[in-house]
Amino acid sequence: MPTPVTPGRRERKKAATRQAIADAALRLFLERGYDQVSIRDIANAADVSTTTLFKHFPGKEALVFDEQADMEASLVAAVRERPEGQDVVSALREFWLAGRLAQAGDAPDLARFTRLVESTPALRTYSERVWAQHTGALTAALADTFGVQHDDLACATLARFVLEVPTIVRGRDDPGAAVREIFTVLTEGWREPRPPAG
């Protein structure tokens, strides 16, 4: 088994700088509101130049969603590394239930983050666009599982459906219940909703 490669000093320093910038940005956004914070404010809070900030992040919105690469890897791992006997739909449901979306009510900082995104049109739009970019990777992971081509329509449809979960769940009082209901529709099919009795 190959020995894991330990990041060098330069890589560790870059990672630490990136994290410091992201942490400073989120802290300021939560304190003041997204539109009231400038790139210069964030750079000053992280003790870096604006040039350094832009080496790590392409724009202001990206500072809010700094873990997207890790999230894509986690989504793919949920499919490829699921327990033996677990189907892919159940694995993806558990990914969301075990993840940050379903736990928002239990984490004050996460709840504040969610409100920040919900109340900022630019962040809502950016979030939806970023999530859609994961479609190819998730589709490929699903296709490999079933031994079909990477452009398989059924796999692409499932991937896109699953990636819409954050948008559908956003703002719900009980994100976990919403995730379960979404996947019930997926596994059991559409059923016409009925208005409450009385």
Side-chain angles (χ1 to χ4, degrees), residues 12-197:
R12 292 196 304 272
K13 186 175 180 181
K14 284 177 65 176
T17 300
R18 178 184 173 85
Q19 190 62 55
I21 295 168
D23 290 346
L26 184 56
R27 184 179 71 254
L28 291 175
F29 291 152
L30 292 175
E31 288 174 359
R32 305 182 194 172
Y34 178 80
D35 293 325
Q36 281 66 52
V37 177
S38 70
I39 289 293
R40 185 172 296 282
D41 291 335
I42 297 164
N44 289 340
D47 196 23
V48 299
S49 68
T50 55
T51 301
T52 297
L53 186 151
F54 282 121
K55 285 181 180 177
H56 291 275
F57 296 94
K60 189 176 172 184
E61 296 94 340
L63 287 157
V64 180
F65 301 97
D66 65 303
E67 298 177 355
Q68 287 304 311
D70 291 340
M71 190 64 86
E72 180 174 293
S74 297
L75 267 168
V76 169
V79 172
R80 296 192 190 278
E81 300 170 18
R82 68 191 188 283
E84 186 175 351
Q86 185 181 48
D87 64 89
V88 294
V89 174
S90 296
L92 289 166
R93 182 187 63 226
E94 293 308 310
F95 170 83
W96 287 124
L97 289 175
R100 295 178 301 171
L101 277 177
Q103 298 169 6
D106 300 325
D109 287 345
L110 182 56
R112 292 173 66 203
F113 172 83
T114 302
R115 287 195 297 271
L116 172 70
V117 174
E118 289 172 3
S119 64
T120 310
L123 293 181
R124 288 202 308 270
T125 301
Y126 184 86
S127 173
E128 291 166 14
R129 188 170 69 247
V130 166
W131 274 109
Q133 291 173 358
H134 299 321
T135 303
L138 184 54
T139 299
L142 291 166
D144 289 344
T145 296
F146 299 110
V148 297
Q149 296 294 318
H150 281 190
D151 63 352
D152 180 82
L153 184 59
C155 293
T157 301
L158 176 58
R160 192 56 187 262
F161 184 97
V162 168
L163 289 168
E164 286 297 324
V165 168
T167 302
I168 300 169
V169 169
R170 183 181 296 138
R172 302 279 177 173
D173 291 335
D174 188 341
V179 168
R180 291 184 184 90
E181 187 172 345
I182 288 168
F183 278 90
T184 296
V185 172
L186 178 59
T187 56
E188 297 181 9
W190 163 259
R191 294 182 182 179
E192 190 172 310
R194 296 181 179 180

